[in-house]
């Protein structure tokens, strides 16, 4: 049964899990690296082939390539207006946190399928969420490719930003399911869910039933 | 060791998802073959009658063909922003040409008459067409279908010697429908999915396609690689 973050304690669980995992330097660095990669990939998605060619070119210097790449990023170049830029960085940050949570869950909790159905489901959904970093532009590119679609995006109320908003929701849900899978366990010696230890989880970090 | 392999696995999974999502960007809409002659490339094979800055496209070393919509917010940001740099740093000092090809993207009511008015002004007084485009982009959010005719008439009367009523009559009559339809057909053939989209040529052959509001650096890179 897939649960949704409906109560205040669900959101507190999610926040605490993220805070504890990102408090570990290794996972903080992982989250930052993934965030940067995701934000760059999303920013250049419309011109990906061209950007790769420029970055691999022998005739252009490093300084120019750096200036060129930064000019493609929201708020550093003209390509995106503020709303779109904020969404790109938000999706990047959520993707970084999602991947860090997933990595922590897999590595530190020594996860196996036998370890708990809830945890395994969280990992699967977490992986899907991590791969969804480019959901917005990816789905967008797919739809435009299929429909042939000039005008399609312009007819949407937010001209395609809807897809990025969907990606934000998917990533938040994915992180919640990962946190839910860690419910009852410990992160860096701290209980994931203080005061509720023993409600079904065990000391090995395996999730219980809710 | 286990930690390293799991991290690699996660990175791989995330990359796979991202790469899959982005695959369309790499495999579609490339804008034609690099090296294709200007006269044959779908984006540049029918340039007559459209606003042009700088040298004649067939004679210029560098050519930018831009598909734009006078009512689109991204085109407005480009036109009032980095277009000024492109003009002063590439079009004016170099042997270069910039061609504006109309492409209706937003579906806003005044896009079609604005394009016809622009093409009519291009036929009568080519430099004035750029002034009219400047006016449309500076007022993208205030012009409406209802105010378009009055706004255009007021601008042309105050800033040009053109017969404003004749220009508006041409816009009403859709006098340049064949140019507009050809431009949109060419744009679709070249892989235009949004506006603005730019096609860059050097020495008469296609080099690169740029999508979205880009700054001067991207255009300079586009002529280099």
């Amino acid at each position: 049964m897939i649960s949704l973050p409906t109560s205040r304690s669900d959101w507190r669980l999610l926040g605490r899990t993220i805070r504890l995992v990102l408090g570990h330097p290794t996972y903080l660095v992982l989250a930052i690296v993934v965030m940067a990669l995701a934000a760059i990939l999303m920013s250049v998605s419309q011109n990906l082939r061209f950007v790769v060619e420029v970055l691999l070119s022998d005739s252009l210097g490093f300084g120019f390539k750096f200036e060129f790449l930064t000019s493609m990023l929201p708020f550093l170049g003209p390509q995106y207006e503020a709303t779109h830029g904020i969404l790109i960085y938000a999706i990047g940050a959520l993707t970084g946190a999602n991947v860090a949570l997933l990595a922590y869950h897999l590595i530190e909790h020594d996860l196996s399928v036998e370890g708990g159905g809830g945890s395994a489901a969280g990992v699967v959904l977490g992986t899907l969420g991590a791969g969804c970093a480019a959901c917005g532009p990816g789905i967008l590119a797919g739809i435009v490719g299929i429909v042939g679609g000039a005008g399609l995006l312009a007819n949407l109320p937010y001209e395609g930003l809807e897809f990025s908003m969907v990606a934000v929701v998917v990533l938040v849900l994915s992180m919640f399911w990962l946190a839910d899978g860690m419910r009852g366990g410990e992160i860096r010696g701290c209980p994931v869910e203080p005061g509720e230890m023993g409600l079904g989880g065990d000391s090995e970090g395996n999730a219980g039933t809710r | 060791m286990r930690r390293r392999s799991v991290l690699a696995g996660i990175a791989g999974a995330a990359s796979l998802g991202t790469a899959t999502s982005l695959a369309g960007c790499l495999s579609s809409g490339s804008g034609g073959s690099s090296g294709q002659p200007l006269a044959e490339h779908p984006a540049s094979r029918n340039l007559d009658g459209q606003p042009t800055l700088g040298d004649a496209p067939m004679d210029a070393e560098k050519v930018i063909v831009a598909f734009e919509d006078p009512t689109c917010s991204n085109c407005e940001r480009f036109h009032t922003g980095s277009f000024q740099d492109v003009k002063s740093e590439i079009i004016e000092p170099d042997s270069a040409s910039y061609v504006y090809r109309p492409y209706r993207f937003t579906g806003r009511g005044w896009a079609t008459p604005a394009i016809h008015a622009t093409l009519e002004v291009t036929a009568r007084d080519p430099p004035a067409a750029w002034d009219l485009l400047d006016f449309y982009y500076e007022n993208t959010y205030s012009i409406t279908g209802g105010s378009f005719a009055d706004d255009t008439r007021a601008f042309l009367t105050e800033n040009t010697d053109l017969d404003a009523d004749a220009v508006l009559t041409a816009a009403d009559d859709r006098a340049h429908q064949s140019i507009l339809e050809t431009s949109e057909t060419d744009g679709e053939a070249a892989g235009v999915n949004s506006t603005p989209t730019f096609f860059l040529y050097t020495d008469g052959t296609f080099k690169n396609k740029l999508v979205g509001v880009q700054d001067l650096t991207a255009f300079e890179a586009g002529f280099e690689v």
Side-chain angles (χ1 to χ4, degrees):
Chain A
M1 174 94 181
I2 292 176
S3 59
L4 295 173
T6 50
S7 68
R8 196 172 167 185
S9 65
D10 287 337
W11 291 104
R12 281 178 57 201
L13 169 77
L14 177 57
R16 181 174 168 79
T17 307
I18 293 171
R19 186 166 56 82
L20 288 171
V21 169
L22 297 187
H24 192 302
T26 303
Y27 296 98
L28 179 62
V29 170
L30 175 66
I32 291 171
V33 169
V34 172
M35 179 187 81
L37 286 176
I40 290 172
L41 269 176
M42 283 186 287
S43 300
V44 306
S45 60
Q46 286 186 302
N47 296 289
L48 192 57
R49 174 184 290 180
F50 172 63
V51 170
V52 170
E53 280 180 16
V54 171
L55 296 180
L56 296 180
S57 166
D58 293 332
S59 60
L60 299 171
F62 175 80
F64 182 88
K65 289 177 184 176
F66 182 77
E67 186 185 348
F68 165 76
L69 191 58
T70 52
S71 78
M72 291 275 169
L73 298 176
F75 302 111
L76 298 175
Q79 192 171 184
Y80 297 101
E81 55 188 324
T83 311
H84 204 154
I86 289 168
L87 271 172
I88 284 176
Y89 287 127
I91 293 172
L94 290 171
T95 305
N98 193 324
V99 170
L101 255 63
L102 179 59
Y104 189 94
H105 197 28
L106 283 172
I107 295 167
E108 308 294 342
H109 291 164
D110 198 22
L111 190 76
S112 65
V113 175
E114 299 84 42
S119 299
V123 170
V124 171
L125 293 166
T127 309
L128 287 176
C132 201
C135 268
I139 293 170
L140 219 60
I143 288 177
V144 166
I146 292 166
V147 180
L152 167 72
L153 301 181
N155 289 327
L156 293 170
Y158 298 101
E159 298 186 5
L161 276 181
E162 291 86 349
F163 294 102
S164 295
M165 294 172 191
V166 168
V168 168
V169 172
V170 170
L171 283 163
V172 170
L173 285 176
S174 173
M175 283 195 296
F176 171 71
W177 290 323
L178 275 169
D180 201 33
M182 290 191 247
R183 196 188 286 267
E186 290 183 355
I187 297 175
R188 295 188 296 124
C190 302
V192 173
E193 199 175 25
E196 293 190 25
M197 286 289 285
L199 273 182
D202 60 33
S203 60
E204 298 301 315
N206 295 323
T209 53
R210 295 184 68 216
Chain B
M1 189 64 189
R2 173 179 159 73
R3 174 180 294 211
R4 198 174 297 169
S5 61
V6 171
L7 282 173
I10 290 169
S15 304
L16 182 65
T18 305
T20 305
S21 301
L22 292 172
C25 308
L26 279 169
S27 61
S28 65
S30 62
S33 307
S34 191
Q36 198 172 359
L38 182 88
E40 295 173 15
H41 190 275
S44 55
R45 59 193 170 194
N46 297 295
L47 300 180
D48 291 345
Q50 286 142 104
T52 303
L53 270 181
D55 299 343
M58 296 305 287
D59 302 329
E61 287 175 18
K62 297 176 181 175
V63 177
I64 300 171
V65 174
F67 285 84
E68 297 186 51
D69 180 332
T71 66
C72 126
S73 58
N74 281 340
C75 302
E76 177 269 325
R77 287 194 302 118
F78 171 73
H79 202 89
T80 56
S82 39
F83 176 60
Q84 306 307 321
D85 296 331
V86 170
K87 249 192 333 188
S88 61
E89 299 296 325
I90 295 177
I91 306 299
E92 288 167 3
D94 296 342
S95 166
S97 179
Y98 186 100
V99 185
Y100 182 103
R101 301 203 72 183
Y103 193 92
R104 289 168 294 184
F105 179 68
T106 66
R108 292 178 73 183
W110 60 280
T112 302
I115 288 169
H116 283 278
T118 303
L119 295 174
E120 179 66 18
V121 172
T122 303
R124 291 167 179 255
D125 180 6
W130 292 99
D131 297 332
L132 182 60
L133 284 170
D134 287 346
F135 170 72
Y136 287 147
Y137 284 124
E138 285 162 8
N139 297 280
T140 299
Y141 299 106
S142 60
I143 296 175
T144 64
S147 73
F148 164 78
D150 289 340
D151 290 339
T152 301
R153 182 182 292 106
F155 173 79
L156 291 175
T157 303
E158 288 171 20
N159 297 282
T160 71
D161 296 328
L162 293 166
D163 181 345
D165 287 327
V167 171
L168 287 168
T169 300
D172 282 343
D173 294 345
R174 307 293 189 253
H176 301 278
Q177 193 65 15
S178 65
I179 292 178
L180 174 55
E181 287 177 0
T182 301
S183 176
E184 291 180 336
T185 303
D186 287 346
E188 284 174 21
V192 173
N193 285 322
S194 64
T195 52
T197 296
F198 308 94
F199 294 84
L200 276 55
Y201 305 79
T202 52
D203 299 322
T205 58
F206 173 66
K207 287 284 277 189
N208 279 300
K209 172 186 166 187
L210 283 174
V211 180
V213 185
Q214 302 295 337
D215 79 351
L216 179 64
T217 319
F219 285 93
E220 289 173 337
F223 284 119
E224 283 295 321
V225 297

